[in-house]
Amino acid sequence: MALSNHLSQIRDADWLNARSARLYALIAFVLIGILPIVTRLVTGDGLIDRFGVPFGGDYISFYTASKLALAGHAADAWRPELHKAAQDTVFDRQLNGYWAFFYPPAYLLVCLPLALLTYGWSVVVAMATTTLAAVKLLHLWMKRMMPDITGVWLPLMAFPGLWMNIACGQNAALTAAIMTGGCLLLQRAPVLSGLVFGLLVIKPQLAIAIPFVLAADGRWKTFFAAAFSAAALSLAAFFVVGQEGYMAFFADSHLARETLDKGLVETSAMQSAFAGLKLIGLPNGVAYAGHALIALTGLTWSVFIIRRYRPDALSLGALLVSVTLLLSPFLVNYDLMLLALPLAWLIVQGAHQRFRPWEKMVCVGLYLLPALARGLTDMTHIPVGALMVGAMFMLVQSRITKTADIEMPAVLKPAI
């Protein structure tokens, strides 16, 4: 009986309500967010930590790409020897590692102003503005679904994916803001939504699902606006980097593939199905085939759900992001920042329609996943991140198929 009661408490998690969630979020904010950053700064040498890595890690790649472009040498951002040399000049010392620039020329447009400031101020401004944009848009996302919702600022600010992105100096907050903005505008301003979605050409592996989802739902205005936006941004980049820059980018692209094939990024840091299959010992060819099968199945099932159930615009956004995380073999732990959007949708759904057994605990696991995935994978040799990303997709599609006809406040059905 006692065991049954304990299982019931975990399964239903009635103790986890809005008040207790805010308390746990405060603890996460301090332990996962603030404390590691303060420790890193205090134990390091200025902006260089005790391991010889600059604060923000990957940000040095973006900063030096900007520095090279502003000096008239944009193509050198995709030439590893010259890009590495530029990184060492930022702090007038040889850094412990090299941070490659695998991004397309369109992203260099975003990076262009970064080196106008000193490195320290640049990383602070970039992380603060993109983080605040993502949090504000995610807050609007939750308010759109549940206008009377309160007390969500702290859980959003404490979300570990946000702090993982800051620690890595990455662009996941920017891509999360773009994705959330596109989803928010999808029903009320379809053309503007497409123009926003098209900005994901800066990180195209996160845009794979967008044309399929939009086409399946018949949102052609958004579809063509996204294509126009992506093409326009890529063309604008041409005027900055020129033909030489594009040629250097394509010549350097094989290094991104080698990063996957040779495990140049630790497998435990990668959260894709491909990385999970590699982790259990499968060779590259089999892992790619397995990933392709999982991705194709998820995308096909998403299209079927859209055609069969015609989800509202906000449910469509949650489905779009959850399947997006299944598709790219190059999915790093900071990219799990995108979990915030479908996770918020699941929480609001549960608040409206009651949480199903174990659903709260799965949501807790998804919330903590960006902070725990790498460590748990190292300890257990189980692809925790890939499994949880799959669980997110299954939860979202299950909610849509079982509640398709239930109306929610402020949620509009798509006009087809």
Side-chain angles (χ1 to χ4, degrees), residues 74-88:
D76 290 348
W78 295 284
R79 294 176 176 135
E81 319 81 33
L82 298 175
H83 191 216
K84 161 64 174 167
Q87 291 175 12
D88 291 339

Side-chain angles (χ1 to χ4, degrees), residues 187-234:
Q187 181 62 34
R188 299 182 178 183
V191 173
L192 185 55
S193 172
L195 295 176
V196 172
F197 277 137
L199 299 178
L200 280 174
V201 71
I202 65 173
K203 202 164 187 176
Q205 69 266 34
L206 298 182
I208 299 171
I210 291 175
F212 296 97
V213 168
L214 295 178
D217 206 35
R219 296 181 181 273
W220 297 110
K221 289 182 180 179
T222 309
F223 181 98
F224 288 113
F228 172 80
S229 175
L233 193 59
S234 299

